[in-house]
Amino acid sequence: MKVQKKIVKVQPFQDEYQLSKLLAEKYDNMQNKIKVINVVGTNGKGSTSNYLQKQLIPDYEQVGLFTSPAFLNHNERIKVNNDYISDDDLKRLLKKIHPDVQAYHLTFFEIWTLMAILYFIEKDVKIAIIEAGIGGAHDATNVFANQLLVALTSIGFDHTEVLGTTIEEIIANKVKIVKNNNPLIISNSCKKYLKTISKYVNKEQIIISDKYLKAINYYQQYNVGLVIKIMEFLNLTINYEIFKIIPLLGRFTILNKNPYFIIDGAHNPEGINALIQTFDILDIDNDKETMVLFASSSKKNYLENLKLLKNHFNSKLYITTFKHPLAWNLKDVNFNNKVYNWKKFIIQNQDKNILVCGSLYFVPLVYSFYLERTWK
């Protein structure tokens, strides 16, 4: 039994680093006992982090992994050697840090970062992959000073209210997490931004990875290439069999092939473009119509996302909403094909190919509904 996700307003960013202050004043900066690989980027952080942990396990006794957001259960955020933190450990740690949460006014994401640190120390983790929540320099995960390297997965427009409205601002926010002239290994998709990245990180520190064309789909070519370059830098053996599996649910997950039922958490323009390219590579049966269902949070640049999807899928594109404080209101969206009951829509179109995409608050709801199969 895993701790189910609850509807919460997630704010992983704040200007004043209360977590840093707490760690210094009470915990003697215990996080710095752990050697870390920081993972930053617009998209691909979760897939890259999960692939990387699986690659590192044979070479280290205890490998920690901290990622976000969770897909179905909050336990997914904290792993050691690919095992989720237990419900009992989560509850115990929450109880332990409750006075600190109140005294230091920790944000939601700072709470999870602190629990990950405490759990990794308990489990004697020597190396951990730490995925940033938003950005890098102003993220709670910037508290780790014992940094081995930083991995940059991609650059695109997302969380502009926090990171800035220009590519340069976004890049600066992400790569300034690099400390002490440590290496910055970047995805091949980021090499076009090398000149801008070099303004904030010495060019001698930057290592560019290659695409891995044998990845399971277009999505993963850049992520896998990045992991391979990291393993080469660390002079560790690469297990290529690991790259044949899907690293995470909701990242172009094919649940059924006849007809196709695909879920994907693409929720920003870069992700939407990658989704379209990945979808086009599939050998889709043209005799079956493909219906695309998209839902967004209100904070996302959904106009650009809709434009990209509409240009590609045209009249087959439908939009819907879902129960969550951050979900968009369909009344505010100027679009013709609106679906107010997405479950009914799926049932009515179950003989067609269905592609569901958008908010990572929405896609898990569809996945759970699909698993029920009571509608089939």
Side-chain angles (χ1 to χ4, degrees), residues 23 31 55 60 68 77 79 95-96 130 132 178 195 202 278 291 312 321:
L23 287 167
Q31 77 278 11
Q55 292 287 352
Y60 294 89
S68 63
R77 297 170 181 269
K79 290 183 184 179
K95 184 177 181 180
K96 178 180 179 179
I130 307 295
V178 177
K195 184 177 180 180
N202 292 331
T278 307
M291 313 300 288
H312 193 78
T321 191

Side-chain angles (χ1 to χ4, degrees), residues 107-373:
T107 65
F108 177 89
F109 194 70
E110 286 180 317
I111 292 168
W112 277 97
T113 306
L114 177 58
M115 286 197 295
I117 291 167
L118 295 176
Y119 189 66
F120 291 162
I121 293 295
E122 288 180 0
K123 292 293 184 179
D124 198 27
V125 164
K126 294 295 190 294
I127 187 169
I129 299 103
I130 307 295
E131 177 189 340
I134 293 179
H138 299 290
D139 191 73
T141 59
N142 198 22
V143 298
F144 296 91
N146 191 4
Q147 186 183 77
L148 184 62
L149 61 91
V150 174
L152 174 64
T153 61
S154 65
I155 294 293
F157 289 99
D158 203 4
H159 301 296
T160 53
E161 75 282 0
V162 172
L163 302 181
T165 56
T166 67
I167 285 294
E168 180 155 350
E169 288 175 312
I170 291 169
I171 288 173
N173 247 304
K174 294 182 186 300
V175 303
K176 281 183 177 180
I177 198 173
V178 177
K179 300 177 181 67
N180 302 323
N181 296 318
N182 287 322
L184 171 65
I185 303 182
I186 70 174
S187 162
N188 194 266
S189 67
C190 298
K191 68 178 182 179
K192 59 188 174 184
Y193 300 117
L194 184 58
K195 184 177 180 180
T196 304
I197 294 170
S198 299
K199 292 181 180 180
Y200 306 100
V201 179
N202 292 331
K203 203 166 184 178
E204 296 75 23
Q205 299 169 239
I206 302 170
I207 301 170
I208 304 172
S209 61
D210 300 312
K211 286 202 300 183
Y212 181 68
L213 299 179
K214 294 182 181 179
I216 56 174
N217 57 43
Y218 175 84
Y219 253 57
Q220 301 302 342
Q221 289 179 3
Y222 296 100
N223 299 329
V224 172
L226 179 56
V227 172
I228 289 172
K229 185 59 71 173
I230 293 170
M231 294 296 287
E232 289 174 347
F233 174 81
L234 298 174
N235 198 27
L236 299 175
T237 302
I238 301 166
N239 180 357
Y240 287 90
E241 291 299 309
I242 288 173
F243 300 134
K244 294 180 181 180
I245 62 174
I246 299 171
L248 284 173
L249 276 171
R251 276 65 171 182
F252 206 83
T253 303
I254 300 174
L255 299 175
N256 198 69
K257 287 189 176 181
N258 189 24
Y260 273 98
F261 195 107
I262 303 169
I263 56 172
D264 191 280
H267 55 269
N268 53 49
E270 187 195 40
I272 295 294
N273 277 318
L275 164 63
I276 290 170
Q277 293 187 59
T278 307
F279 182 84
D280 285 350
I281 295 171
L282 283 180
D283 184 20
I284 295 289
D285 183 355
N286 291 325
D287 292 334
K288 285 189 174 69
E289 191 176 7
T290 298
M291 313 300 288
V292 180
L293 186 64
F294 174 78
S296 177
S297 74
S298 58
K299 290 188 175 182
K300 297 297 177 182
N301 181 13
Y302 57 77
L303 292 178
E304 180 64 22
N305 292 334
L306 281 176
K307 180 181 177 181
L308 293 170
L309 289 168
K310 183 73 164 57
N311 287 343
H312 193 78
F313 295 105
N314 200 1
S315 61
K316 298 175 182 178
L317 174 63
Y318 294 79
I319 65 171
T320 191
T321 191
F322 54 103
K323 291 183 179 180
H324 193 280
L326 297 179
W328 63 356
N329 188 335
L330 291 188
K331 294 179 181 179
D332 298 332
V333 186
N334 182 19
F335 197 81
N336 291 328
N337 296 347
K338 294 182 180 180
V339 172
Y340 289 91
N341 187 330
W342 59 265
K343 292 182 180 180
K344 185 177 179 180
F345 176 86
I346 290 174
I347 293 170
Q348 290 175 339
N349 291 283
Q350 60 184 298
D351 60 332
K352 302 170 184 174
N353 298 313
I354 297 177
L355 170 61
V356 178
C357 56
S359 171
L360 279 170
Y361 296 118
F362 171 60
V363 173
L365 300 177
V366 177
Y367 176 70
S368 297
F369 176 65
Y370 179 87
L371 290 184
E372 293 170 6
R373 305 295 283 173

Side-chain angles (χ1 to χ4, degrees), residues 18-29 103-104:
Q18 295 302 316
L19 178 59
S20 293
K21 187 177 179 183
L22 168 62
L23 287 167
E25 292 180 351
K26 181 173 179 179
Y27 292 100
D28 195 28
N29 282 318
Y104 287 83

Side-chain angles (χ1 to χ4, degrees), residues 56-124:
L56 291 176
I57 286 173
D59 295 287
Y60 294 89
E61 289 185 10
Q62 297 284 78
V63 181
L65 176 63
F66 177 55
T67 60
S68 63
F71 191 75
L72 293 176
N73 306 298
H74 276 305
N75 309 63
E76 299 166 23
R77 297 170 181 269
I78 301 173
K79 290 183 184 179
V80 173
N81 284 1
N82 213 34
D83 293 326
Y84 298 136
I85 186 172
S86 70
D87 288 357
D88 288 342
D89 283 327
L90 265 184
K91 293 172 184 175
R92 173 178 56 81
L93 288 173
L94 276 170
K95 184 177 181 180
K96 178 180 179 179
I97 68 171
H98 182 69
D100 298 327
V101 172
Q102 291 189 315
Y104 287 83
H105 307 288
L106 299 186
T107 65
F108 177 89
F109 194 70
E110 286 180 317
I111 292 168
W112 277 97
T113 306
L114 177 58
M115 286 197 295
I117 291 167
L118 295 176
Y119 189 66
F120 291 162
I121 293 295
E122 288 180 0
K123 292 293 184 179
D124 198 27

